[in-house]
Each structure stands twice: as structure tokens, then as C-alpha cells.
Amino acid sequence: MGTTAGGLGRKLAPGSFHRLHRSYILNMKCIKEILSSDGGYVVVATDRDETHIPVARREVRHFREAVGI
């Protein structure tokens, strides 16, 4: 049986990783920029494609606290 994204998120170091959306766990060192979008946020990752990762509405408060905004 595989590990769920939620299960993986609980195993990773909380100061280094954050679950932004049901499909994305972000390495906090890989944030290029954070854009405001429709009352929420989109994180631009430092990967080759500069992936835009939406922050789930229920995660906005936790994400703001994690990045200090």
C-alpha cells in the first residue's frame, strides 16, 4: 500500500516542507516568489519550469504563518 500525500507530509520535517494543496508538498527552500491570487496565493517554485502551485484555501492561514506573510 502506498503512502498518501497527507501521510508523507506528516513524516517530513515541518519547518522544511509544507503541504500547499492536496496534490503538492513544497520544499520551503524551493520558493522563487509568492503571488497573491483571488484572495489566496500561488507559489512559484524554483524548478526548471517555474511551476505555479496553488495554495488551498484551507491552507492559506498555515502557509502565511510558515512563510511569515
Side-chain angles (χ1 to χ4, degrees), residues 9-53:
R10 286 187 292 275
K11 291 179 181 180
L12 297 172
S16 299
F17 295 88
H18 188 84
R19 188 168 181 195
L20 298 177
H21 189 270
R22 65 188 177 122
S23 303
Y24 296 99
I25 295 174
L26 175 70
N27 181 336
M28 297 296 278
K29 293 179 183 175
C30 294
I31 296 175
K32 178 178 181 184
E33 63 182 324
I34 301 166
L35 307 173
S36 180
S37 174
D38 298 323
Y41 297 94
V42 173
V43 174
V44 180
T46 60
D47 63 4
R48 178 174 40 119
D49 299 322
E50 294 190 356
T51 304
H52 285 88
I53 305 168

Side-chain angles (χ1 to χ4, degrees), residues 3 56 58:
T3 300
R58 71 175 189 263

